[in-house]
């Protein structure tokens, strides 16, 4: 970032919010002590079937038991969590007598845990909180243990929930949703499949890039975004190639964390506004959809922030010395495409089931997504439709 850009950003009042963060190999062992420090006596533990089968919930329960905290486990949710699942979860929470929430999982369990927390103390239906700053009452204490190295949900002010009736993935945004304590243990990344490792890593890169070029970016979010891009460019391939590569897993866990801190405070852009709609319609993995759309959105946004795209190229490992700004920026986008290809991400939306007939509905919904507000280049319905068609 140039000096002028820094000075311009420093003239604007901004906030940077983060939870207490516990990071490192074996950090899962801190979940009991963390819940106890928050005064929780009985935990509502939210997870998903894959994490339960991997054994991480059982381990978390043992650490909770060590400090005298009992737990109710609930994991009746899907990859793109639905409003009906949240309603089931909050009913179970309210009847359980729990006084705090622990989430053990990736973005889906964490998003549902946050949504349950909203309704437990604020009432109503989860659709009532779509948008920004709709939460008025404090939430139950919350500890989050991340297991995927991609979503960044453990440090973010987002919860993404599908409203089945409208086939829309709602963005619920509030600083109230930032967990009290986030635990990131790279050991937990070893049980992910190759496909999930790739998809979540791609998700983290999309967070970092969109946060970096966001209209709400600040010098502090930029530091985290660029650091995340560097780590992902250098380690995602190795993490996908070998489940037991702890150096790569640790780097990806840190990258996800830093990308999460960046996007939580700078918000995102058109990639996510568009991806949310595709995920809600076709129930796809969020990271894969981001991976398809991100290069096309980067090409669209290029004219609005060319200097930042050069910095992205540098962070991706592109040798930009001697290149003009636009050539260097284009090579950065090409490096993103090559990384995605190397880890097996589809290159076209048609490969994952999208039809041209879907595009008008998806584009109209994307225009209402809160993430579009901070995209660096203005985009109306015609531009969004054109992007979907290019990616088809």
């Amino acid at each position: 970032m140039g000096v002028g850009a820094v000075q311009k950003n420093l003239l604007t009042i901004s906030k940077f919010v983060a939870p207490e963060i516990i990071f490192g190999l074996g950090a899962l062992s801190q979940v009991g002590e963390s819940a106890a420090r928050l005064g929780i006596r009985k935990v509502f533990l939210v997870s998903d079937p894959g994490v339960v089968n991997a054994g991480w919930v059982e381990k978390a329960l043992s650490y909770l038991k060590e400090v005298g905290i009992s737990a109710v486990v609930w994991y009746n949710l899907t990859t793109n969590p639905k409003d009906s699942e949240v309603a089931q979860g909050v009913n179970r929470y309210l009847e359980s007598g729990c006084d705090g929430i622990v989430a053990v999982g990736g973005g889906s369990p964490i998003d549902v845990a946050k949504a349950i927390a909203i309704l437990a103390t604020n009432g109503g239906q989860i659709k009532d909180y779509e948008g920004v700053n709709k939460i008025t009452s404090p939430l139950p204490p919350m500890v989050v243990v991340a297991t995927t190295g991609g979503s960044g949900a453990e440090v973010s002010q987002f919860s993404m929930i599908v409203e089945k009736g409208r086939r829309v993935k709602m963005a619920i945004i509030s600083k109230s949703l930032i967990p009290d304590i986030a635990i990131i243990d790279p050991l937990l990344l070893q049980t992910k499949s190759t496909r999930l490792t790739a998809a979540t890593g791609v998700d983290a890169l999309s967070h970092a890039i969109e946060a970096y070029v966001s209209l709400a970016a600040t010098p502090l979010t930029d530091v985290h975004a660029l650091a995340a891009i560097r780590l992902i460019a250098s380690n995602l391939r190795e993490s996908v190639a070998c489940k037991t590569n702890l150096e790569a897993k640790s780097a990806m866990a840190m990258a996800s964390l830093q990308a999460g801190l960046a996007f939580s405070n700078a918000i995102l852009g058109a990639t996510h506004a568009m991806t949310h709609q595709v995920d809600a319609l076709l129930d796809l993995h969020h990271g894969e959809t981001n991976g398809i759309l991100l290069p096309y959105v980067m090409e669209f946004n290029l004219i609005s922030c060319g200097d930042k795209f050069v910095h992205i190229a540098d962070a991706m490992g592109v040798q930009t010395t001697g290149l003009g700004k636009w050539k260097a920026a284009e090579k950065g986008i090409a490096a993103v495409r090559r990384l995605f290809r190397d880890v097996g991400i589809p290159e076209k939306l048609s490969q994952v089931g999208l039809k041209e007939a879907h595009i008008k509905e998806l584009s109209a919904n994307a225009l209402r997504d809160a993430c579009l507000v901070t995209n660096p280049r203005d985009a109306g319905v015609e531009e969004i439709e054109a992007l979907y068609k290019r990616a088809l």
Side-chain angles (χ1 to χ4, degrees):
M1 175 186 292
V3 174
V6 172
Q7 290 174 337
K8 181 181 177 181
N9 280 342
L10 290 175
L11 295 175
T12 305
I13 294 174
S14 62
K15 292 184 179 181
F16 188 94
V17 185
E20 177 183 335
I21 296 168
I22 302 173
F23 183 98
L25 299 175
L28 177 60
S29 64
Q30 301 298 303
V31 67
E33 183 267 344
S34 297
R37 282 195 288 116
L38 295 176
I40 302 174
R41 296 181 301 275
K42 186 177 183 181
V43 155
F44 191 72
L45 195 155
V46 180
S47 191
D48 67 30
V51 176
V52 171
N53 292 336
W56 300 122
V57 168
E58 186 178 351
K59 275 192 172 293
L61 291 172
S62 71
Y63 294 128
L64 291 164
K65 187 176 180 181
E66 284 178 4
V67 296
I69 296 177
S70 60
V72 172
V73 178
W74 184 83
Y75 54 93
N76 187 25
L77 55 92
T78 52
T79 300
N80 289 292
K82 316 298 187 293
D83 49 359
S84 57
E85 296 163 5
V86 172
Q88 293 170 16
V90 75
N91 288 339
R92 185 73 184 95
Y93 176 86
L94 292 172
E95 69 187 22
S96 70
C98 293
D99 58 355
I101 295 175
V102 170
V104 181
S108 299
I110 296 172
D111 282 354
V112 171
K114 292 176 180 180
I116 290 171
I118 295 169
L119 298 187
T121 53
N122 287 262
Q125 302 177 66
I126 198 60
K127 67 180 181 180
D128 300 334
Y129 301 93
E130 182 180 8
V132 182
N133 295 333
K134 302 287 183 68
I135 300 167
T136 56
S137 297
L139 307 188
M142 192 183 319
V143 179
V144 167
V145 181
T147 65
T148 61
S151 75
E154 70 274 10
V155 295
S156 84
Q157 58 175 315
F158 281 70
S159 175
M160 305 302 306
I161 304 295
V162 173
E163 185 185 351
K164 289 198 297 185
R166 289 188 295 150
R167 297 194 299 184
V168 167
K169 199 169 191 178
M170 300 180 289
I172 301 161
I173 308 171
S174 168
K175 289 181 171 61
S176 298
L177 293 178
I178 295 173
D180 297 285
I181 301 175
I183 296 173
I184 301 96
D185 185 344
L187 289 173
L188 275 58
L189 306 188
Q190 293 183 106
T191 55
K192 294 197 301 176
S193 68
T194 298
R195 181 179 179 185
L196 186 59
T197 300
T200 52
V202 166
D203 193 19
L205 185 61
S206 69
H207 292 155
I209 289 174
E210 290 223 291
Y212 186 58
V213 300
S214 165
L215 293 177
T218 68
L220 191 51
T221 62
D222 285 350
V223 167
H224 287 292
L226 285 174
I229 295 168
R230 291 189 191 98
L231 285 169
I232 295 164
S234 300
N235 293 278
L236 179 56
R237 292 177 177 89
E238 290 81 355
S239 183
V240 169
C242 180
K243 286 186 177 182
T244 57
N245 185 335
L246 279 179
E247 183 177 349
K249 299 299 180 190
S250 296
M252 288 305 302
M254 179 59 73
S256 174
L257 169 62
Q258 292 195 276
L261 291 169
F263 91 78
S264 179
N265 288 281
I267 317 301
L268 293 160
T271 301
H272 278 78
M274 296 171 68
T275 293
H276 294 155
Q277 317 318 317
V278 179
D279 293 345
L281 178 70
L282 300 178
D283 208 22
L284 303 174
H285 191 283
H286 177 66
E288 289 189 348
T289 316
N290 271 334
I292 296 169
L293 284 167
L294 179 63
Y296 295 100
V297 175
M298 290 178 73
E299 290 170 343
F300 173 77
N301 285 336
L302 178 55
I303 64 169
S304 65
C305 46
D307 289 337
K308 281 203 162 187
F309 273 82
V310 176
H311 302 153
I312 290 170
D314 287 332
M316 287 296 299
V318 175
Q319 296 298 319
T320 59
T321 305
L323 297 177
K325 175 167 69 174
W326 303 113
K327 188 66 174 178
E330 289 166 0
K331 282 185 174 291
I333 299 171
V336 170
R337 274 205 166 92
R338 185 166 59 250
L339 174 60
F340 292 174
R341 190 179 303 121
D342 288 350
V343 298
I345 299 299
E347 296 186 44
K348 290 289 185 177
L349 291 170
S350 56
Q351 294 174 251
V352 294
L354 193 75
K355 307 293 184 187
E356 189 167 354
H358 296 138
I359 287 177
K360 281 199 175 296
E361 178 188 355
L362 295 178
S363 301
N365 289 339
L367 284 183
R368 294 188 287 269
D369 193 290
C371 292
L372 194 61
V373 175
T374 47
N375 193 69
R377 182 177 176 184
D378 294 342
V381 68
E382 290 181 359
E383 289 79 12
I384 297 297
E385 286 183 8
L387 281 168
Y388 275 128
K389 288 177 181 176
R390 284 196 66 203
L392 192 62

